Amino acid sequence: MTDGQGERAASKVMERLCAVKWERDWGDVFGKVMLRRLLMREYLRRSSLWAQTYSAESAWPFFDITEYIDAEFKLSPSTEQELEEFLGARMSGDVKVTCRGAVRLAELRLNNPAVGTGDLPDLYEPLIRMYERGGEFMKDNVGALDLTGVSFRPGSLQGNASNTPVVTLHGTVLDALDVEGRVTFYASDSNRGPVFRRLFPQGGGQRDEVFSGHLGWQPTTQLSTSEGDVDCVRIYDQDAARIIEEAVLGVPRSASQE
């Protein structure tokens, strides 16, 4: 790959970051937190794999991985200037570190195709998707991650590295999980499809829906039936993501991960 190709790859990442609406409608941010939590957990899984591969364990989970891959690497001057202007205008903390890492890694990987080969998934993509769908995060004084509306501890590097993929980054799957309001998911006792959700919109009320890979979410009365026509149990968000993914893509998760 040429330096010009690497520069264009970095510029595409810059364009996405610059397009993020960093100043958010707080009601929307609080109401659509579930998907951001799934995307953050997927990033934690991926970053643990990259940290182990490139000896960045001490910096996990939020780092500029290029510093561990090639300490001498430098962005092209034009991209470096654009990046620093973007970061200096607003970014801070771990968000700043990961935005810088995403741009630098894009250019480094095209200039050095051996970087991130094998089974390593795209490192920063889950975070970029999270930024695009709700903005920033921060760490509190006890190390928990605050995603604005939900807080959780990241766990250990080793624990995240051994996790199965949390959520695919297929746009249709993410759209199906991106909902405003509080939601709980249900499925049959075998933890297979179809997946149901009980949604509590911010404006009040409740509605029950079932997911179809072709039609999306459709109203249903099955969750509230008194006839016992459907035997459902509550499932975790990541299990709902897996079932929705299989309904959309038509293949098991192991064959569909990016």
Side-chain angles (χ1 to χ4, degrees):
M1 299 291 177
T2 67
D3 289 345
Q5 287 174 311
E7 186 175 351
R8 287 194 294 274
S11 293
K12 289 181 179 179
V13 176
M14 275 296 312
E15 289 175 7
R16 292 179 64 187
L17 293 174
C18 289
V20 170
K21 296 180 180 178
W22 297 100
E23 297 295 337
R24 293 287 174 168
D25 179 307
W26 290 109
D28 183 64
V29 170
F30 277 103
K32 303 175 74 173
V33 72
M34 183 203 68
L35 178 58
R36 297 203 309 280
R37 181 174 64 237
L38 290 173
L39 288 168
M40 175 59 80
R41 290 196 179 280
E42 177 60 15
Y43 167 77
L44 294 173
R45 184 188 74 86
R46 295 184 182 200
S47 65
S48 65
L49 299 177
W50 280 76
Q52 290 178 330
T53 299
Y54 292 104
S55 301
E57 291 92 341
S58 62
W60 185 86
F62 304 109
F63 44 62
D64 176 355
I65 192 62
T66 64
E67 296 175 355
Y68 297 85
I69 299 172
D70 182 356
E72 303 300 318
F73 171 72
K74 294 185 182 299
L75 283 173
S76 56
S78 59
T79 303
E80 178 71 27
Q81 180 179 352
E82 183 182 7
L83 175 61
E84 291 308 315
E85 289 175 356
F86 166 74
L87 296 175
R90 186 178 194 285
M91 298 294 98
S92 63
D94 293 323
V95 175
K96 183 175 183 176
V97 170
T98 54
C99 286
R100 174 180 282 115
V103 173
R104 285 169 53 85
L105 182 60
E107 187 165 313
L108 176 61
R109 291 188 74 178
L110 274 182
N111 292 333
N112 185 352
V115 170
T117 56
D119 295 330
L120 285 177
D122 193 329
L123 173 55
Y124 293 107
E125 186 64 19
L127 273 188
I128 295 176
R129 297 289 186 106
M130 191 191 80
Y131 297 150
E132 290 173 332
R133 292 173 180 261
E136 305 170 66
F137 70 95
M138 63 184 66
K139 287 186 290 191
D140 64 20
N141 56 10
V142 295
L145 300 178
D146 182 355
L147 273 60
T148 310
V150 67
S151 179
F152 66 92
R153 292 186 177 277
S156 68
L157 183 152
Q158 292 77 14
N160 279 279
S162 62
N163 283 344
T164 57
V166 178
V167 61
T168 186
L169 302 186
H170 189 282
T172 302
V173 176
L174 296 182
D175 289 344
L177 293 164
D178 196 6
V179 61
E180 183 176 346
R182 184 166 58 88
V183 61
T184 53
F185 291 102
Y186 301 84
S188 65
D189 287 335
S190 61
N191 210 18
R192 305 292 296 179
V195 61
F196 300 86
R197 73 180 181 187
R198 176 157 288 166
L199 179 62
F200 302 89
Q202 287 184 290
Q206 168 190 312
R207 67 175 184 264
D208 294 342
E209 298 174 326
V210 60
F211 185 78
S212 163
H214 299 292
L215 301 175
W217 292 105
Q218 299 292 311
T220 182
T221 59
Q222 288 182 282
L223 280 179
S224 57
T225 182
S226 60
E227 303 297 328
D229 293 334
V230 59
D231 186 14
C232 288
V233 294
R234 185 170 175 176
I235 60 174
Y236 292 110
D237 298 348
Q238 55 265 39
D239 293 321
R242 172 183 55 78
I243 297 172
I244 290 170
E245 175 185 336
E246 293 180 3
V248 169
L249 304 182
V251 291
R253 163 164 287 182
S254 59
S256 63
Q257 280 297 303
E258 295 187 10

